[in-house]
């Protein structure tokens, strides 16, 4: 009898060690039944899936997306964004400009200080910087930049922060047109020497950009208000609401390229004197045909004054064509599609698991999503998303709005295995299964105790399912994952952020409606059974 027990115990321990979980998940009694042995078993349950169309996702990001791209299968989508520009606290131009020019009266004498020629803004440029893009690098496009209007200055205070969702209508906040600029993602006019230049540390100096030369009056107005209304520059909120609310960047020509914008700068240009090491103004050379001997030598200097940063609001808008709805309606399989397109919804058989394994202990629950290995002749076809999140459907909004990360209890992440299996595999979601089952079990026990002799099991179960339609549903969501190294001597890291994937990508997954050509997925459950 002891040998039998020890053998069974070793089997169970090995199962627990391979379950990738440090807890057991007892569905039945909280006390282990008396026994002289236990054994490990594996069984399977079926999971139904369907595509879940999403019209918007929560997108708190410092990356702006702009452009238009049409896929032969999923149709077109257009990306645009708006961004505010940050203002440092109690900002003053004279604090950042080198040797700012000042004129003042002292003992009836006019004195000058510094190298700034005068207080005139000589130019203003809006610069859109991007590092990467998706699609055709030589595709002819055109970008439009608008100043945000007063409506944005008011609605940015919305406590619900709906502007974080990608269905924001950026057209509502477009004010004055600041400019339009034709471009290609790869600017062939930039020389290789500039493109490959690095600083003393070997870091690249050049960053691809699109430049809008704005009306100088815009910059002069901001400069003058900084002098007359310093309270408008007390902080970013005051600046945005009183001086410059921000910009809206849209694509108005071209199809086939999406830019990933890193930063938007508002750059001012002033005229400065050249000075020597003692601060004395330098004069022009005698042979300078553009000026007479003795004239002060000057130059135009540029300074980024305001820029988009993580401290201010940036909102992306994605708009998909109706073809996306057609893909989501297909029954023979399911899809995941980013950005803001399609998730896969799975219904897990919690009731069946509880009925069959109520008195046993869950060790591991494995769920696998397999994608079809599709080939495309299209030059710029989308890649399969690298990472996905498995999340309770009822937690979709709060998870992203509250900037949560996967806890491996009710939320899990998995990477795509594109070499061996073409799958997203969740090795152990036993905690999710036990959490959901125990949630319903606790509600049932409380209701039964309250009802007493009037208890109706079937009626309560029907009412529970009606009131909690998403209780047994999870979503498979394309995400981007940010990690931070936790050790300098090993490859260990911890997840610091899980956000919706906003880059183009998709996967066609096995599943769908079995009555319309689809198949059910398999949920593999390993459990320990105690023998009486």
């Amino acid at each position: 009898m002891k040998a039998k027990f020890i053998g069974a115990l070793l089997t169970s321990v090995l199962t627990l060690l391979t379950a990738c979980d440090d807890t057991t998940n007892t569905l039945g009694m909280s006390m282990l039944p008396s026994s002289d042995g236990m054994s490990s078993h594996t069984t399977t349950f079926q999971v139904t899936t369907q595509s879940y169309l999403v019209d918007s996702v929560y997108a708190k990001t410092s990356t702006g997306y702009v452009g238009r791209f049409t896929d032969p299968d999923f149709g077109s989508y257009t990306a645009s964004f708006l961004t505010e520009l940050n203002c440092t606290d109690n900002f003053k131009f004279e604090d950042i400009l080198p040797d700012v020019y000042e004129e003042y009266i002292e003992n009836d004498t006019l004195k000058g200080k510094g190298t700034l020629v005068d207080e005139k803004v000589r130019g203003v440029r809006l610069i859109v910087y991007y590092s990467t893009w998706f699609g055709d690098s030589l595709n002819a496009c055109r970008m439009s930049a608008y100043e945000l209007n007063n409506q944005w200055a008011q609605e940015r205070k919305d406590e619900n922060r709906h502007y974080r969702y990608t269905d924001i209508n950026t057209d509502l906040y477009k004010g004055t047109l600041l400019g339009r600029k034709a471009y290609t993602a790869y600017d062939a006019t930039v020389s290789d020497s500039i493109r490959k230049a690095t600083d003393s540390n070997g870091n690249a100096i050049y960053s691809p950009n699109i430049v809008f030369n704005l009306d100088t009056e815009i910059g002069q107005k901001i400069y003058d208000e900084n002098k007359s209304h310093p309270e408008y520059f007390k902080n970013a909120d005051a600046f945005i609401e009183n001086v410059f609310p921000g910009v809206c960047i849209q694509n108005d020509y071209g199809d086939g390229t999406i830019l990933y914008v890193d930063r938007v700068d508002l750059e001012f240009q002033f005229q400065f004197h050249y000075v020597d090491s003692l601060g004395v103004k330098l004069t022009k050379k005698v042979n300078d045909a553009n000026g007479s001997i003795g004239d002060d030598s000057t130059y135009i200097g540029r300074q980024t004054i305001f820029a988009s940063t993580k401290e201010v609001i940036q909102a992306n808008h994605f708009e998909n064509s109706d073809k996306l709805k057609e893909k989501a309606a297909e029954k023979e399989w399911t899809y995941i599609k980013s950005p803001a397109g399609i998730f896969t919804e799975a219904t897990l058989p919690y009731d069946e698991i509880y009925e069959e394994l109520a008195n046993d202990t869950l060790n591991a629950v494995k769920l696998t999503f397999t994608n079809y290995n599709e080939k495309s002749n299209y030059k710029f076809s989308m890649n399969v998303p690298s990472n996905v999140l498995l999340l309770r459907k009822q937690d979709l909004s709060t998870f992203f709005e509250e900037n949560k990360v996967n806890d491996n209890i009710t939320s899990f992440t998995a990477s795509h295995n594109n070499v061996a299996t073409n799958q997203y595999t969740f090795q152990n979601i036993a905690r999710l299964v036990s959490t959901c089952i125990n949630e319903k079990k606790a509600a049932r026990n409380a209701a039964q105790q309250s009802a007493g002799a009037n208890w109706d099991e079937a009626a309560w179960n029907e009412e529970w399912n009606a009131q909690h339609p998403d209780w047994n549903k999870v979503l498979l969501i394309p995400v981007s994952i940010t990690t931070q190294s936790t050790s300098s001597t090993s490859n260990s890291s911890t997840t610091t952020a899980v956000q919706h994937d906003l880059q183009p990508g998709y996967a066609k997954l096995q599943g769908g409606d079995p009555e319309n050509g689809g198949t059910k997925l398999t949920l593999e459950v390993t459990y320990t059974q105690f023998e009486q």
Side-chain angles (χ1 to χ4, degrees):
M1 186 67 69
K2 290 183 178 180
K4 176 182 176 183
F5 176 81
I6 293 174
L9 178 61
L10 288 175
T11 301
S12 178
V13 169
L14 288 174
T15 302
L16 290 171
L17 290 175
T18 59
C20 302
D21 198 350
D22 59 1
T23 64
T24 57
N25 299 274
T26 302
L27 299 183
M29 300 171 62
S30 58
M31 299 285 292
L32 296 179
S34 58
S35 63
D36 60 0
M38 54 186 174
S39 57
S40 178
H41 304 273
T42 299
T43 187
T44 59
F45 297 87
Q46 292 185 319
V47 175
T48 58
T49 61
Q50 65 177 6
S51 293
Y52 180 76
L53 185 69
V54 286
D55 58 358
S56 66
V57 296
Y58 187 81
K60 186 177 181 180
T61 174
S62 58
T63 300
Y65 299 84
V66 60
R68 179 181 173 86
F69 179 78
T70 298
D71 181 86
D73 294 321
F74 288 90
S76 64
Y77 88 93
T78 303
S80 61
F81 72 98
L82 62 81
T83 184
E84 300 172 341
L85 302 181
N86 195 17
C87 173
T88 58
D89 291 350
N90 299 311
F91 170 78
K92 294 180 181 179
F93 275 92
E94 55 261 35
D95 290 340
I96 66 165
L97 295 177
D99 299 324
V100 170
Y101 175 85
E102 292 180 355
E103 285 188 343
Y104 56 95
I105 300 294
E106 183 177 297
N107 297 327
D108 298 324
T109 302
L110 183 66
K111 293 186 176 182
K113 173 186 176 184
T115 61
L116 191 64
V117 173
D118 52 34
E119 296 192 77
K120 291 183 180 180
V121 175
R122 302 306 173 105
V124 186
R125 306 199 308 172
L126 185 74
I127 308 177
V128 178
Y129 289 97
Y130 59 96
S131 56
T132 55
W133 59 83
F134 173 81
D136 189 349
S137 63
L138 300 178
N139 179 49
C141 302
R142 190 175 69 180
M143 181 184 295
S144 294
Y146 298 84
E147 182 178 353
L148 296 179
N149 57 25
N150 291 331
Q151 182 174 348
W152 170 254
Q154 296 300 317
E155 294 189 13
R156 68 183 297 272
K157 302 176 183 178
D158 176 19
E159 294 182 356
N160 295 323
R161 298 184 178 181
H162 187 74
Y163 52 76
R164 292 293 188 193
Y165 280 86
T166 57
D167 62 349
I168 178 176
N169 186 354
T170 52
D171 286 338
L172 293 176
Y173 308 112
K174 291 192 319 188
T176 304
L177 176 65
L178 297 174
R180 288 193 169 98
K181 188 67 178 288
Y183 69 93
T184 58
Y186 181 87
D187 188 352
T189 65
V190 177
S191 65
D192 288 342
S193 60
I194 294 177
R195 193 183 304 277
K196 297 178 181 179
T198 59
D199 60 18
S200 58
N201 296 319
N203 300 316
I205 298 174
Y206 171 76
S207 178
N209 60 83
I210 298 167
V211 178
F212 296 88
N213 292 308
L214 307 186
D215 191 327
T216 305
E217 291 182 1
I218 295 174
Q220 190 65 53
K221 181 178 181 234
I222 295 174
Y223 184 90
D224 292 341
E225 286 187 330
N226 186 244
K227 297 286 187 180
S228 59
H229 292 283
E231 70 275 11
Y232 291 173
F233 299 79
K234 180 180 179 181
N235 52 42
D237 286 336
F239 173 76
I240 291 164
E241 294 168 11
N242 295 285
V243 182
F244 193 82
V247 294
C248 176
I249 306 295
Q250 293 185 337
N251 173 74
D252 61 18
Y253 178 82
D255 189 340
T257 310
I258 303 292
L259 298 184
Y260 303 158
V261 176
D262 303 313
R263 193 177 81 248
V264 178
D265 289 357
L266 192 62
E267 181 187 85
F268 284 62
Q269 299 172 337
F270 296 91
Q271 189 173 22
F272 296 90
H273 292 287
Y274 284 107
V275 296
D276 61 17
S277 59
L278 298 177
V280 178
K281 300 174 187 177
L282 297 177
T283 58
K284 292 184 178 179
K285 296 179 181 179
V286 174
N287 60 356
D288 189 343
N290 296 319
S292 61
I293 298 174
D295 287 347
D296 292 327
S297 184
T298 62
Y299 68 97
I300 297 296
R302 298 169 179 170
Q303 178 78 44
T304 295
I305 307 296
F306 309 104
S308 61
T309 66
K310 293 182 179 180
E311 289 74 26
V312 293
I313 297 171
Q314 185 161 292
N316 284 281
H317 170 73
F318 298 116
E319 183 175 353
N320 292 289
S321 64
D322 289 339
K323 195 167 185 178
L324 191 68
K325 297 179 182 179
E326 298 175 10
K327 300 299 288 184
E330 294 177 2
K331 302 296 184 183
E332 300 91 340
W333 37 71
T334 68
Y335 291 100
I336 53 173
K337 162 71 172 66
S338 63
I342 305 174
F343 304 155
T344 283
E345 177 187 298
T347 301
L348 301 183
Y350 297 142
D351 284 332
E352 292 88 338
I353 294 174
Y354 180 70
E355 290 174 4
E356 185 172 331
L357 307 177
N359 296 314
D360 302 316
T361 299
L362 293 184
N363 296 331
V365 179
K366 180 179 178 181
L367 179 60
T368 300
F369 296 87
T370 303
N371 68 287
Y372 292 92
N373 188 14
E374 295 192 295
K375 295 182 179 180
S376 174
N377 295 323
Y378 189 50
K379 185 177 179 180
F380 300 105
S381 58
M382 296 179 286
N383 293 324
V384 174
S386 298
N387 298 290
V388 292
L389 171 73
L390 190 73
L391 177 71
R392 293 187 76 177
K393 185 178 179 181
Q394 65 186 40
D395 297 336
L396 175 60
S397 296
T398 57
F399 182 89
F400 291 100
E401 289 178 4
E402 297 175 7
N403 298 316
K404 295 181 179 180
V405 298
N406 53 297
D407 60 9
N408 295 324
I409 299 175
T410 58
S411 56
F412 305 79
T413 59
S415 298
H416 183 245
N417 188 334
N418 59 349
V419 177
T421 61
N422 237 20
Q423 293 176 332
Y424 299 102
T425 302
F426 297 90
Q427 294 289 351
N428 192 1
I429 60 170
R431 286 183 173 184
L432 170 66
V433 174
S434 61
T435 296
C436 295
I437 288 177
N438 289 330
E439 178 181 280
K440 183 176 180 179
K441 180 181 176 182
R444 177 191 176 278
N445 291 342
Q448 185 179 24
Q449 184 177 5
S450 176
N454 297 321
W455 173 250
D456 187 329
E457 179 82 25
W460 179 87
N461 193 64
E462 182 178 353
E463 183 180 359
W464 163 270
N465 291 332
Q467 293 178 353
H468 304 85
D470 296 329
W471 163 73
N472 59 349
K473 293 178 174 59
V474 293
L475 296 174
L476 189 71
I477 305 169
V479 292
S480 62
I481 300 175
T482 303
T483 60
Q484 183 176 0
S485 176
T486 56
S487 173
S488 59
T489 59
S490 66
N491 294 325
S492 60
S493 61
T494 182
T495 299
T496 57
V498 177
Q499 298 175 315
H500 285 289
D501 190 350
L502 301 181
Q503 298 185 8
Y506 89 98
K508 181 179 179 181
L509 305 175
Q510 294 180 8
D513 184 358
E515 297 182 359
N516 289 279
T519 59
K520 290 188 176 183
L521 305 186
T522 298
L523 191 70
E524 185 179 296
V525 178
T526 302
Y527 64 96
T528 299
Q529 188 175 69
F530 295 88
E531 299 173 359
Q532 299 292 337

